[in-house]
Amino acid sequence: MPTSASLILQMPRGNLETIFPRAMVIAGIRKLIEEKNYKKAFTNCRTQRVDMNILYDHAPEQFLSNVPLFIDQVKKISYIDLFLSSLRYVNQLPMNSII
Amino acid sequence: MEYIFTTTRGLTSPPQDHGLVAVIDGQLIKVTPFMAANIPPPMALHEISVPSNALDVVFNDDASIAVLHQDGISVFEYKSPSASGPPPAPKGQIAFEETKSRQNFYQAVVFAPNNEVLVLQRSLSGSIISRYGLNEDSSIIEEMPISSDSVITTLSSFIEDGVAKPFTQNVSGDLCSLLPGSQSVSYGKLTSNLPWVEIASHGDSPIAFGLSASGHLYAGSRVLVKNCTSFLVTPAHLIFTTTNNLIKFVHVTDVNSMSIYFSLINTILTLRRLRSSTGRPRNG
């Protein structure tokens, strides 16, 4: 289910397991960023322990021209602080990850 | 004749990805929208009953349900699946005529555009596809006998641009469209007849995915892996499980350039969360 980034598996015994695969989570966050839904993208980054740099890195120009929107959506100061403190400058991406 | 396990699922594309699954239990269909309620088998959120033993059940893109049973077809509408919402409500019934030869047997049902359903039937002389209308009189619109040298093994459909597109697979693996007026449109040919087939719309041309009983997963005629146990398609990925308990994700691009990335999750023992992977693009 892409909306919740979850995948349900059935084990050989018949019981169900729900997982949140990284691939689906990242794909979901990218989509939310493209829709400019920074609030939901940020929330997903928090709950799924995804590096928040993706909020900028996935669409740098869009982020820079929508900083007021980002702040309006995220609202809570502690969340904004969390985002700012996680920002990192990396010269070159260590791994090519289109997941 | 071969029997396979198959899962009746609703759409996997947002916003209609309610995680709908239907299970047949005699004259009962057990329906659960997993997005709203995580109810493990053998229980379900809703149970709907039909007049005789069910043979096939399918979902439409609006979550409505068609059940093919021995005596006819029952259609239910299921508005906004939720944990506390109303169950699927009966919307219409089609009763098969008593005069039908008992040597014919019904195999599958799918939704078609314009409020219709298609039914696959096997007779002594080959396969028959019938169209039924879901309006007031619910009568047979047309019976389309298919030529007897191509027995149809699969009747299914996929959604493209919001329109249901039914298709068939015959014993040789040919995939043909069943839209009125486009019977000659082919969705490709699989290397051989595959028990599990799904078509995903992608760009200009839809891609057909299929799984053989021996575990070979095909995209068109290209083998992707040889140890696949199940698969499904979402708008972003082809997701499949393998015999060594791995789940793999493939970006759906055109058939010739699909590449496979790993997501290592051991599904039987523990779920290890990957802490540091992100999607940061290259600078410059």
Side-chain angles (χ1 to χ4, degrees):
Chain A
M1 295 176 278
T3 300
S4 58
S6 61
L7 187 65
I8 300 185
L9 307 160
Q10 185 171 35
M11 298 300 132
R13 279 186 63 197
N15 47 317
L16 300 179
E17 310 259 345
T18 304
I19 60 171
F20 297 88
R22 221 48 173 172
M24 287 179 76
V25 167
I26 303 278
I29 291 175
R30 286 207 189 105
K31 195 151 174 281
L32 289 168
I33 292 173
E34 283 158 21
E35 292 166 4
K36 295 199 191 155
N37 190 341
Y38 284 107
K39 180 179 175 55
K40 239 186 174 163
F42 178 88
T43 311
N44 287 354
C45 280
R46 264 186 90 227
T47 51
Q48 298 288 348
R49 308 275 301 268
V50 171
D51 191 332
M52 290 183 200
N53 284 281
I54 192 177
L55 295 170
Y56 168 80
D57 287 332
H58 181 60
E61 290 99 12
Q62 179 190 291
F63 182 82
L64 288 177
S65 53
N66 283 286
V67 170
L69 177 71
F70 176 79
I71 296 177
D72 282 339
Q73 287 184 349
V74 173
K75 282 202 190 76
K76 271 179 80 166
I77 299 178
S78 53
Y79 289 176
I80 308 240
D81 287 343
L82 190 60
F83 169 72
L84 290 173
S85 60
S86 71
L87 289 175
R88 270 183 304 147
Y89 175 72
V90 171
N91 198 16
Q92 192 169 12
L93 185 72
M95 62 178 177
N96 182 5
S97 48
I98 303 174
I99 301 175
Chain B
M1 200 186 333
E2 213 185 321
Y3 287 90
I4 56 162
F5 276 111
T6 182
T7 308
T8 296
R9 277 186 236 111
L11 281 196
T12 54
S13 53
Q16 296 107 330
D17 57 338
H18 305 286
L20 281 166
V21 173
V23 178
I24 296 178
D25 184 8
Q27 295 180 15
L28 276 183
I29 311 294
K30 302 188 177 190
V31 179
T32 310
F34 278 97
M35 178 75 87
N38 195 350
I39 300 182
M43 297 156 294
L45 186 62
H46 298 298
E47 292 184 358
I48 51 185
S49 70
V50 290
S52 61
N53 284 343
L55 302 165
D56 190 21
V57 58
V58 284
F59 289 101
N60 203 1
D61 60 346
D62 61 354
S64 52
I65 308 166
V67 185
L68 172 70
H69 53 89
Q70 306 269 15
D71 297 334
I73 307 167
S74 301
V75 181
F76 298 79
E77 62 179 358
Y78 193 15
K79 298 197 160 100
S80 32
S82 62
S84 51
K91 190 168 137 185
Q93 298 255 27
I94 296 166
F96 295 140
E97 295 162 13
E98 288 289 333
T99 54
K100 286 284 176 210
S101 161
R102 276 293 157 196
Q103 287 177 322
N104 292 2
F105 59 94
Y106 295 98
Q107 294 176 278
V109 66
V110 287
F111 280 98
N114 302 322
N115 233 2
E116 291 168 0
V117 289
L118 300 174
V119 176
L120 175 67
Q121 215 181 330
R122 178 77 69 86
S123 70
L124 288 173
S125 53
S127 298
I128 304 174
I129 304 234
S130 319
R131 279 205 303 152
Y132 295 85
L134 292 174
N135 38 17
E136 290 304 315
D137 48 4
S138 301
S139 49
I140 298 186
I141 298 180
E142 184 191 344
E143 224 172 63
M144 301 186 283
I146 312 293
S147 60
S148 56
D149 59 347
S150 61
V151 167
I152 292 177
T153 59
T154 312
L155 172 69
S156 184
S157 74
F158 68 104
I159 308 279
E160 189 171 47
D161 302 323
V163 178
K165 303 207 165 164
F167 66 92
T168 56
Q169 181 190 197
N170 66 8
V171 284
S172 324
D174 297 309
L175 301 166
C176 297
S177 164
L178 278 179
L179 283 182
S182 72
Q183 260 87 326
S184 55
V185 170
S186 165
Y187 290 125
K189 183 179 173 357
L190 300 167
T191 314
S192 58
N193 181 278
L194 297 176
W196 295 274
V197 173
E198 257 189 65
I199 295 187
S201 66
H202 174 78
D204 296 328
S205 51
I207 307 179
F209 296 100
L211 176 61
S212 73
S214 55
H216 292 228
L217 181 63
Y218 292 84
S221 52
R222 185 174 159 220
V223 178
L224 292 178
V225 282
K226 293 188 181 169
N227 57 349
C228 174
T229 45
S230 69
F231 75 98
L232 64 83
V233 187
T234 68
H237 302 107
L238 162 69
I239 307 174
F240 61 92
T241 56
T242 67
T243 51
N244 35 20
N245 303 315
L246 296 177
I247 300 178
K248 301 195 183 179
F249 295 81
V250 184
H251 248 322
V252 180
T253 59
D254 67 273
V255 181
N256 296 319
S257 57
M258 268 197 256
S259 44
I260 300 182
Y261 291 90
F262 280 65
S263 180
L264 279 169
I265 300 180
N266 185 319
T267 56
I268 291 192
L269 296 175
T270 55
L271 298 175
R272 274 180 283 131
R273 298 182 72 192
L274 303 172
R275 289 174 186 269
S276 60
S277 63
T278 67
R280 298 185 65 199
R282 272 186 206 285
N283 289 337

